[in-house]
Amino acid sequence: MQLDTAPELPQALGPQALLLPRFAAADADELVAAVRRLSAVSPFRHLVTPGGFAMSVGLTNCGALGWTTDRRGYRYAGIDPETGQPWPAMPTVFLRLAQTAARAAGYDRFEPDACLVNRYLPGARLSLHQDRNERDFTQPIVSVSLGMRATFLFGGLQRAVKPAKIPLQHGDVLVWGGSDRLRYHGIMPLKDEPHPTLGGQRINLTLRKAG
Ligand code: MD6
Ligand code: FE
């Protein structure tokens, strides 16, 4: 086995936040192919936040519900506002991976209905935020990193808590829920260090039960 793709032991980032290093590495090619297909239907776009700034991260969705934002605020919607059509269906490989990862972290009944797909090019970042547009905070979030490395900022329940810096690489999966579910988090500006297979980009999948 290549050192680069060897799974490592799970790492607790909090009482109910778990990093599963390389958990998705074996599925990566299939995941990326599915991202290509769904983003051909619902393209990546740079949304404008209620504050009036265009996000540096390109975003699309798949599944019954998709996360979106505009000047009026953040929300989930069943229709892609850009195409006027439902979001592409959740690929089976996404669902299977999310449920296997959730189970490995102790969540036996995770039924995601939304997957946010984020694309980072060098310099893109995601400022500290909480994920709080979902209905049921007892449901975990499963997050998959593909492509270029990134530094994940993992803060506390208040914005003022200084975040820990967690390196994420291709194939890493984060599962978090429970008392960690509303922790502030973000991504530092991406360095320009192309990945051997994905080149100069990072793709992040975050799967949630939104509705
Ligand atoms: C990212 N992730 O990794 C952005 N949110 O590109 C998130 O915002 C995120 O990784 C909730 C749970 C896990 C995450
Ligand atoms: Fe988030």
Side-chain angles (χ1 to χ4, degrees), residues 31-112:
L31 296 168
V32 170
V35 168
R36 236 173 244 134
R37 283 192 294 270
L38 72 90
S39 63
V41 177
S42 277
F44 288 106
R45 76 287 310 259
H46 294 272
L47 295 172
V48 175
T49 64
F53 296 99
M55 295 176 69
S56 60
V57 174
L59 180 148
T60 186
N61 290 278
C62 61
L65 291 170
W67 185 88
T68 188
T69 178
D70 58 20
R71 291 306 296 255
R72 291 180 296 148
Y74 307 119
R75 64 186 161 276
Y76 281 96
I79 299 287
D80 177 350
E82 197 150 307
T83 63
Q85 301 293 316
W87 300 100
M90 177 101 64
T92 314
V93 59
F94 285 21
L95 191 62
R96 181 167 36 85
L97 173 67
Q99 290 185 325
T100 317
R103 199 166 301 121
Y107 298 96
D108 282 338
R109 262 178 270 279
F110 182 43
E111 292 287 346

Side-chain angles (χ1 to χ4, degrees), residues 122-143:
R125 62 191 288 269
L126 193 61
S127 53
L128 278 186
H129 67 278
Q130 290 174 300
D131 287 15
R132 51 181 319 145
N133 300 119
E134 301 75 24
R135 206 162 283 183
D136 180 359
F137 295 146
T138 67
Q139 288 276 325
I141 295 181
V142 173
S143 163

Side-chain angles (χ1 to χ4, degrees), residues 118 120 126 129 131 141 143 145 152 168 174 176 185 187 202 204 206 208:
N118 292 317
Y120 297 73
L126 193 61
H129 67 278
D131 287 15
I141 295 181
S143 163
S145 291
F152 188 69
L168 291 179
L174 277 170
W176 65 7
H185 58 281
I187 294 283
R202 171 178 184 263
N204 169 255
T206 62
R208 304 110 187 264

